[in-house]
């Protein structure tokens, strides 16, 4: 795939938006050809744009969703979205969005699907249709040559850890600290950073004893040989694809069931070290 070159005069946000649009246009030629030769599985009346499957994503979390140095969208969620659109016989289109804007944008019919691993919660299933497919779980990483090994959660007592500010991992570490204190154990010192790159930089610099992230991020760093994947699959919770239209959700569920049968879904998740959500592909939501 040819690199995408953008004018250097563009602002960072404008360059990011242009990169996403250009990357999507380059990647989707095959999808367009397929859409011309097979019958779309969702009528235009249920789509934001005729013949197009518009997805909101946040390409800021490698290896789940990100743009590489050439501006090409990559990652588990990106690949999954392209495959869903292909099997629906629709042209895929990605729009970058902040998490806070995703649900309002779905309700405002700005996109057909949120492809950002939204957690499945009772509150969300009252207003959204959700297909759980991935288990988002926490990992603990340590330096390759570290001090006392961390083989269980209690080994974190009294340690300094780094994690992403405002994320799932931060909430679970604060919960764990409450448990430590209730049991008379010394709490962790939790250092918060903006993004997993700086979370791991703190570990690399020796500022903390362990980095707390999600499984695929920790696996990526271990595969590079940079850090040891000390603990994994902690506190799993299902992440989903989310929809505002049940017709769209049902159509996506059907193609994802086909992915289950032919092995595509398990293969994709396995490549990224992500576990499957329990219960198989199904639609959760109002009146389901």
């Amino acid at each position: 795939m040819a690199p995408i070159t953008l004018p250097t005069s563009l602002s960072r946000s404008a360059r990011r938006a242009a990169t996403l649009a250009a990357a999507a246009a380059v990647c989707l030629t095959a999808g367009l050809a397929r859409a011309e030769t097979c019958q779309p599985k969702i009528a235009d009346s249920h789509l934001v744009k005729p013949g197009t499957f518009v997805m909101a994503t946040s390409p800021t979390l490698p290896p789940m969703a990100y743009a590489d140095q050439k501006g090409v969208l990559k990652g588990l969620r990106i690949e999954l979205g392209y495959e869903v659109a292909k099997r629906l016989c629709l042209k895929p289109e990605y729009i970058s969005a902040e998490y806070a804007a995703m649900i309002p944008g779905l309700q405002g019919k700005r996109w057909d699907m949120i492809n950002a691993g939204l957690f499945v919660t009772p509150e969300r299933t009252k207003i959204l249709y959700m297909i759980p497919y991935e288990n988002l779980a926490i990992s603990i990483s340590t330096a390759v040559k570290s001090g006392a090994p961390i083989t269980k959660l209690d080994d974190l007592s009294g340690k300094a850890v780094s994690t992403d500010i405002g994320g799932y991992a931060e909430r679970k570490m604060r919960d764990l600290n409450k448990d430590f204190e209730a049991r008379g154990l010394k709490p962790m010192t939790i250092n918060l950073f903006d993004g997993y790159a700086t979370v791991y930089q703190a570990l690399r610099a020796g500022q903390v004893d362990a980095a707390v992230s999600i499984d695929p991020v920790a696996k990526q760093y271990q595969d590079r040989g940079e850090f040891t994947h000390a603990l994994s699959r902690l506190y799993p919770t299902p992440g989903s694809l989310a929809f505002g239209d049940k017709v769209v959700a049902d159509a996506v569920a059907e193609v994802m069931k086909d992915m289950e049968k032919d092995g595509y879904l398990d293969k994709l998740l396995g490549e990224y070290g992500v576990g499957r959500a329990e219960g198989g592909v199904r639609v959760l939501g109002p009146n389901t």
Side-chain angles (χ1 to χ4, degrees):
M1 184 175 294
I4 297 169
T5 303
L6 299 175
T8 56
S9 60
L10 288 177
S11 68
R12 181 179 178 184
S13 60
R15 285 174 58 81
R16 180 182 178 193
T19 296
L20 286 170
V26 171
C27 292
L28 306 181
T29 302
L32 277 167
R34 182 179 178 88
E36 292 174 356
T37 59
C38 69
Q39 186 64 35
K41 294 179 171 58
I42 302 174
D44 285 346
S45 59
H46 290 277
L47 296 170
V48 172
K49 292 172 63 174
T52 304
F53 194 55
V54 182
M55 296 168 280
T57 193
S58 180
T60 58
L61 181 63
M64 303 300 282
Y66 64 102
D68 69 11
Q69 293 180 340
K70 296 181 180 180
V72 178
L73 286 176
K74 291 184 177 181
L76 185 157
R77 293 170 185 160
I78 301 302
E79 291 186 46
L80 178 63
Y82 282 140
E83 185 67 18
V84 166
K86 182 178 75 172
R87 296 190 187 213
L88 290 172
C89 298
L90 296 170
K91 179 180 73 171
E93 179 180 315
Y94 273 110
I95 295 178
S96 175
E98 300 294 333
Y99 278 93
M102 286 185 175
I103 293 177
L106 190 66
Q107 294 170 328
K109 301 187 184 303
R110 293 182 58 195
W111 34 76
D112 302 298
M113 180 177 87
I114 298 173
N115 184 1
L118 289 189
F119 295 148
V120 177
T121 67
E123 293 75 19
R124 285 176 175 166
T125 56
K126 291 178 182 178
I127 60 172
L128 302 175
Y129 297 98
M130 311 185 83
I131 301 176
Y133 71 94
E134 63 180 27
N135 251 349
L136 299 174
I138 290 174
S139 282
I140 310 297
S141 299
T142 58
V144 175
K145 294 181 180 179
S146 60
I150 294 174
T151 60
K152 59 185 183 300
L153 282 173
D154 281 3
D155 292 336
L156 292 172
S157 173
K159 298 286 197 303
V161 304
S162 58
T163 195
D164 187 34
I165 187 169
Y168 179 61
E170 180 193 347
R171 293 198 299 274
K172 299 312 293 185
M173 290 303 100
R174 293 198 183 281
D175 289 343
L176 182 60
N177 257 355
K178 292 178 182 177
D179 175 66
F180 283 167
E181 291 171 341
R183 294 190 287 128
L185 298 177
K186 187 176 180 180
M188 298 171 286
T189 299
I190 301 173
N191 298 270
L192 300 176
F193 296 91
D194 185 12
Y196 285 123
T198 48
V199 166
Y200 278 87
Q201 181 58 36
L203 179 58
R204 184 180 292 111
Q207 297 174 3
V208 296
D209 302 299
V212 185
S213 65
I214 57 175
D215 280 355
V217 173
K219 180 180 184 299
Q220 182 181 58
Y221 280 105
Q222 175 163 287
D223 289 347
R224 295 175 185 170
E226 295 185 59
F227 302 103
T228 297
H229 205 167
L231 297 174
S232 63
R233 300 195 176 184
L234 304 169
Y235 311 113
T237 188
S240 72
L241 303 175
F243 312 84
D245 187 322
K246 190 174 187 300
V247 170
V248 178
D250 287 342
V252 172
E254 287 304 309
V255 300
M256 290 190 69
K257 287 176 182 176
D258 290 338
M259 293 180 194
E260 279 188 315
K261 292 176 183 177
D262 63 29
Y264 175 89
L265 189 57
D266 284 331
K267 181 175 183 295
L268 178 65
L269 294 172
E271 288 174 354
Y272 287 89
V274 176
R276 280 283 303 277
E278 295 181 0
V281 172
R282 66 203 187 282
V283 178
L284 305 176
N287 304 317
T288 60

